[in-house]
Amino acid sequence: MTMDLFDQLPHDPWIETLAPGAVVLHHYARQQAALLFADVIAITTAAPFRHLITPGGYRMSVAMSNCGQVGWVSDKQGYRYSSIDPLTEKSWPAIPARLMTLAVDAAQQAGFSQFEPDACLINRYEAGAKLSLHQDKDELDLRQLIVSVSLGLAAVFQFGGLAREAKCLRVLLTEGDVVVWGGPSRLNYHGVLPLKAGFSATTGAYRINLTFRRTR
Ligand code: MD6
Ligand code: FE
């Protein structure tokens, strides 16, 4: 009998299940990372990254932008989706074809057909930036999944339960990792721990995360 050591390693991309309906397709988009980042640069040239102010008056450490028919915005009035970028007072740039194809293919890979995102929120983390535990619940139809794509520096993603107090799993999200998340865990609390300083050949000093959603 021959022992093939490669058979004992996870296949690339390898799939990790976080909870019912939530999987990580590790490295799924890695070979496309530089092209995806070029799309992010084009989008954020038209709709620049900005640090939103939460309804409570705090400046978010993560810088954000959007593409798609609507974008996620926050100010003293609250969180909402808006078809106009309040910074430029124009529509958001369209979701580029390469990003759209990636999101739809990843959803299908995870067993969800029929994903038609209308919004993509873009998060940019610098060293020390974090995203506190939250639920994504500003979308109209919470049966719709979310597809998340990470580029550049790695970060620790916390994935909890339906109560803020529930114990969190910790998953390292590295370049090209895609999280496909829907079904019973759609409203689970989640967050990102403060980014460690580093250098990425793709993004330099940053981590970029894209979340594709169907908002209405
Ligand atoms: C991030 N992601 O990874 C933040 N939300 O930077 C999210 O908040 C998120 O990855 C909903 C679904 C997937 C996500
Ligand atoms: Fe989220």
Side-chain angles (χ1 to χ4, degrees):
M1 195 184 85
T2 53
M3 283 281 284
D4 188 342
L5 287 173
F6 290 105
D7 287 346
Q8 298 170 27
L9 296 170
H11 290 277
D12 203 21
W14 55 284
I15 300 183
E16 179 181 13
T17 300
L18 301 178
V23 298
V24 186
L25 309 176
H26 285 279
H27 299 182
Y28 184 79
R30 191 169 273 201
Q31 52 3 309
Q32 295 188 72
L35 292 170
L36 300 171
F37 185 64
D39 285 339
V40 169
I41 295 296
I43 294 160
T44 56
T45 299
F49 282 115
R50 78 289 309 260
H51 293 269
L52 296 175
I53 306 297
T54 66
Y58 292 100
R59 174 186 185 268
M60 295 183 73
S61 59
V62 176
M64 294 182 173
S65 185
N66 294 277
C67 58
Q69 287 154 252
V70 293
W72 189 82
V73 298
S74 167
D75 57 24
K76 282 171 186 151
Q77 274 78 58
Y79 303 114
R80 66 189 172 280
Y81 283 100
S82 166
S83 61
I84 297 296
D85 174 354
L87 189 63
T88 63
E89 300 181 333
K90 292 185 202 152
S91 304
W92 300 97
I95 300 178
R98 191 190 343 263
L99 291 182
M100 188 63 105
T101 301
L102 169 63
V104 170
D105 288 353
Q108 190 156 36
Q109 186 72 217
F112 299 94
S113 53
Q114 321 276 4
F115 183 47
E116 291 182 54
D118 62 358
C120 173
L121 172 60
I122 307 174
N123 291 160
R124 186 189 70 186
Y125 297 73
E126 57 189 33
K130 66 179 172 70
L131 198 58
S132 306
L133 279 183
H134 67 278
Q135 294 172 295
D136 287 53
K137 54 180 184 188
D138 297 322
E139 299 76 26
L140 214 51
D141 180 357
L142 295 173
R143 293 167 304 184
Q144 295 277 351
L145 62 144
I146 296 181
V147 171
S148 134
V149 179
S150 294
L151 300 173
L153 294 179
V156 178
F157 187 67
Q158 296 178 289
F159 185 87
L162 282 172
R164 188 184 283 277
E165 301 72 30
K167 196 170 153 37
C168 289
L169 290 174
R170 287 182 175 194
V171 195
L172 187 69
L173 292 182
T174 66
E175 177 153 274
D177 287 354
V178 178
V179 183
V180 181
W181 173 348
S185 52
R186 176 65 177 73
L187 284 175
N188 284 24
Y189 275 91
H190 57 282
V192 177
L193 295 183
L195 190 77
K196 260 184 64 180
F199 180 80
S200 156
T202 311
T203 63
Y206 298 111
R207 169 178 186 258
I208 300 288
N209 178 264
L210 304 146
T211 50
F212 298 87
R213 302 123 190 275
R214 180 84 201 174
T215 66
R216 46 192 179 173

